[in-house]
Amino acid sequence: MSNRTLILEDGMVFEGKAFGASPSGVGEVVFQTGMTGYQEMLSDPSYCDQMIVLTNPLIGNYGVNRDDYETTRPLAKALIVREVCETPSNFRSTKALPEALDELGIPGLSGIDTRMLTRHLRSRGVMRGMLVDGEFVLEEVLETIVATPERRDQVERASTKSAVIIPGEGPRIVLVDFGAKLGITRELVRRGCEVVIVPHDATAKDVLRHEPNGVMLSNGPGDPKDVPSALTLIQELSSKVPIFGICLGHQLIALAHGADTFKLPFGHRGANHPVKDIRTGKVSITSQNHGYAVDETSLPGKSLEVTHIAINDGTVEGIKHSTLPIFSVQYHPEASPGPTDANDLFDEFMTLTHTGGNV
């Protein structure tokens, strides 16, 4: 392996070894605490333009297979690990992680102290960084990071470009694709739904033309305030059809009804985040991947009620409309990867599509 270095915008340097594809510019460096599921993480569109630091020390030991991808076009900027396994052992494996990364065009960095890097990001907050092969001049790299503008088109790049219909005998669900994981579609198909996937910039007229029984607002990358067209869509659909939002979809529902969102210092990314349903007291262990959250102080007077909170930091993890059949969660009930404690939220949505009643 050749030398490869991660340089953070604050000047911190982590020297390691290269694997996967060649470096491809500046990205936001974030950490993920899941012990398994690296293939699903890499292919989650919500990681668009992000360099993923995995806190589990050994990555790649069970290889990669064709069935565990969450999108056909992974958009992660890089994968950063303590140790990468080049000789996986699993009956489902078809190739090693370094080979898969090379094919996907995603660079990898191994051999660094990911514990130190994670602690640094926890104390300073996530920040932008750049991977460099071979020798470099630190000042020049830092100048490049500063001069590189932050992209605001992640949702556009992650979304489907045209409508896709998956036949089914059950309720017809329109899934608005802001960067949807395939796991959401799988859960709807499991329940017999006919799924119509539409682009992120679909209008209410586009959606209603399909005569849906319900609308799903998917997860996706970036700042929810970079998708203003979605707010108009949600406002025009709110009184016409049941709506279920996940992750970015959850944040967009809040914004569409007058609430606010903010960026978290280092986000929630992992498969072991406890969330409490404040209506029942039940705690679920959830899969999460987000860098923004709904501002609870902005909710009073907005016809939105908090239903779930994060036990770790008290942030909003779920809301519902006080009179309309609309609800959302910040975490991922479809898992992929992670626990399936919250999978029954899809069943709640199915009930809404049949009854039109509130949650």
Side-chain angles (χ1 to χ4, degrees), residues 321-339:
H321 197 280
S322 57
T323 59
L324 298 173
I326 300 170
F327 74 109
S328 62
V329 291
Q330 181 63 78
Y331 49 94
H332 288 268
E334 80 284 358
S336 301

Side-chain angles (χ1 to χ4, degrees), residues 65-267:
N65 66 77
R66 69 175 189 175
D67 297 326
D68 288 345
Y69 286 109
E70 284 298 313
T71 183
T72 57
R73 298 180 296 111
L75 297 170
K77 184 63 80 171
L79 181 69
I80 300 170
V81 303
R82 176 68 184 91
E83 180 182 352
V84 62
C85 177
E86 299 187 26
T87 55
S89 177
N90 186 280
F91 73 98
R92 298 176 69 228
S93 175
T94 58
K95 63 188 65 175
L97 179 58
E99 179 187 357
L101 283 183
D102 192 45
E103 293 176 356
L104 294 170
I106 299 175
L109 172 67
S110 68
I112 72 163
D113 189 340
T114 51
R115 177 180 171 85
M116 177 188 290
L117 175 53
T118 299
R119 288 171 64 89
H120 186 68
L121 296 175
R122 279 183 60 89
S123 63
R124 300 291 185 88
V126 296
M127 62 187 75
R128 299 203 296 167
M130 186 173 176
L131 291 178
V132 179
D133 284 347
E135 297 183 358
F136 61 91
V137 177
L138 180 60
E139 290 75 14
E140 292 179 358
V141 175
L142 293 177
E143 288 177 3
T144 299
I145 295 174
V146 171
T148 302
E150 291 192 42
R151 299 190 65 165
R152 300 289 182 181
D153 63 344
Q154 287 92 349
V155 166
E156 180 182 353
R157 285 185 285 141
S159 174
T160 184
K161 302 301 183 264
S162 57
V164 177
I165 299 177
I166 302 173
E169 299 298 323
R172 180 177 297 157
I173 305 300
V174 170
L175 172 59
V176 184
D177 179 11
F178 299 110
K181 292 168 59 183
L182 291 175
I184 296 175
T185 302
R186 284 194 295 267
E187 291 300 329
L188 295 172
V189 169
R190 274 185 55 205
R191 290 162 173 81
C193 297
E194 176 181 321
V195 182
V196 182
I197 305 172
V198 299
H200 75 283
D201 56 356
T203 65
K205 183 178 180 180
D206 295 332
V207 171
L208 295 174
R209 178 172 59 84
H210 296 286
E211 300 182 3
N213 300 104
V215 172
M216 285 279 318
L217 305 175
S218 84
N219 66 292
D223 186 339
K225 294 176 182 176
D226 290 337
V227 200
S229 62
L231 309 189
T232 302
L233 170 70
I234 296 167
Q235 290 162 356
E236 294 180 357
L237 291 177
S238 289
S239 62
K240 296 180 173 63
V241 64
I243 300 175
F244 178 19
I246 292 176
C247 202
L248 180 63
H250 159 81
Q251 298 161 9
L252 291 172
I253 286 175
L255 290 174
H257 289 90
D260 198 8
T261 57
F262 66 97
K263 187 168 185 177
L264 295 162
F266 47 80

Side-chain angles (χ1 to χ4, degrees), residues 240-301:
K240 296 180 173 63
V241 64
I243 300 175
F244 178 19
I246 292 176
C247 202
L248 180 63
H250 159 81
Q251 298 161 9
L252 291 172
I253 286 175
L255 290 174
H257 289 90
D260 198 8
T261 57
F262 66 97
K263 187 168 185 177
L264 295 162
F266 47 80
H268 298 173
R269 298 176 181 90
N272 57 352
H273 287 258
V275 169
K276 181 178 180 180
D277 186 331
I278 62 176
R279 300 164 297 179
T280 64
K282 177 184 176 182
V283 174
S284 298
I285 303 302
T286 67
S287 176
Q288 302 201 9
N289 175 16
H290 59 274
Y292 292 81
V294 172
D295 183 354
E296 186 172 5
T297 65
S298 70
L299 291 174

